[in-house]
Amino acid sequence: MTTMALLEILHYPDPRLHKVAKPVDTVDDSIRVLVQNMAETMYDAPGVGLAATQVNVHKRVVVIDVSEEKNDLRVLINPEILDKSEEQKIYEEGCLSVPDVYDDVERPATVRVRALDLSGESYEFDAEGLLAVCVQHEIDHLNGKVFVQHLSMLKQTRLKAKLRKAEREALKA
């Protein structure tokens, strides 16, 4: 088994976060290593979900673990939402690519998802609560969308200015 590695997480407004990820043709060892590295990076961050786009790999791969114990890793390769509820819920979301920023986002309350597992086998599941939010948030990343794009233009403009200022100050330090 290869050793795992922490991957660099891209930070908004990095334009690479807006690239649309390509489907995975074959689930092979390179994808399994990517998943291992993504999982280690997510747990280290710490976060509950990570899309390959966020680590500058533009393949449709997501890792999620919404368990308290951090022992229920879900791997979604080529995930797609098959169905979503008409009922909407508002959750406060954050993102590893947008550190220290949290805001309310409205999304479908439940979703039905299809994805491939590490063996390349297709499976489906229903998600609600935090898992539903997380799945939708990570699939947004694969489609080149960051959660702040769900916010008002005013909030997006303020956020970009705040992040650019923080980046400039970090460079001076």
Side-chain angles (χ1 to χ4, degrees):
M1 200 48 121
T2 54
T3 56
M4 292 189 268
L6 291 179
L7 304 170
E8 182 186 347
I9 297 172
L10 299 177
H11 288 147
Y12 182 80
D14 191 311
R16 294 171 293 180
L17 287 168
H18 301 296
K19 283 177 86 169
V20 176
K22 301 214 174 334
V24 172
D25 296 324
T26 310
V27 179
D28 57 16
D29 285 344
S30 71
I31 295 297
R32 287 186 270 277
V33 168
L34 172 64
V35 165
Q36 277 186 334
N37 292 338
M38 285 174 59
E40 183 172 324
T41 302
M42 174 188 73
Y43 288 129
D44 182 71
V48 294
L50 187 67
T53 302
Q54 292 175 271
V55 293
N56 201 27
V57 176
H58 302 283
K59 295 181 178 174
R60 298 188 78 78
V61 177
V62 165
V63 294
I64 292 175
D65 187 343
V66 296
S67 69
E68 288 291 322
E69 301 79 23
K70 300 297 173 219
N71 63 357
D72 186 25
L73 182 68
R74 291 173 180 259
V75 176
L76 287 69
I77 300 168
N78 297 341
E80 55 183 319
I81 294 174
L82 302 175
D83 196 22
K84 51 188 168 210
S85 64
E86 288 195 17
E87 180 193 355
Q88 301 278 307
K89 276 237 164 94
I90 295 176
Y91 275 90
E92 185 180 68
E93 292 187 29
C95 181
L96 296 176
S97 291
V98 194
D100 306 320
V101 173
Y102 300 89
D103 215 318
D104 290 340
V105 177
E106 186 176 21
R107 298 184 185 270
T110 61
V111 291
R112 176 126 189 105
V113 182
R114 178 190 301 138
L116 301 178
D117 64 16
L118 283 174
S119 306
E121 298 296 316
S122 179
Y123 71 102
E124 293 182 14
F125 65 96
D126 293 308
E128 62 183 10
L130 181 57
L131 180 59
V133 171
C134 199
V135 166
Q136 294 173 81
H137 177 113
E138 300 309 332
I139 289 175
D140 272 359
H141 276 301
L142 298 181
N143 295 329
K145 190 170 185 178
V146 180
F147 94 97
V148 296
Q149 292 173 268
H150 287 281
L151 307 178
S152 70
M153 287 312 293
L154 178 63
K155 281 186 175 180
Q156 287 183 50
T157 303
R158 284 182 179 160
L159 179 61
K160 282 181 187 169
K162 177 181 160 187
L163 293 171
R164 284 198 186 100
K165 182 180 179 203
E167 205 173 280
R168 283 193 305 272
E169 287 172 1
L171 290 173
K172 288 179 193 169

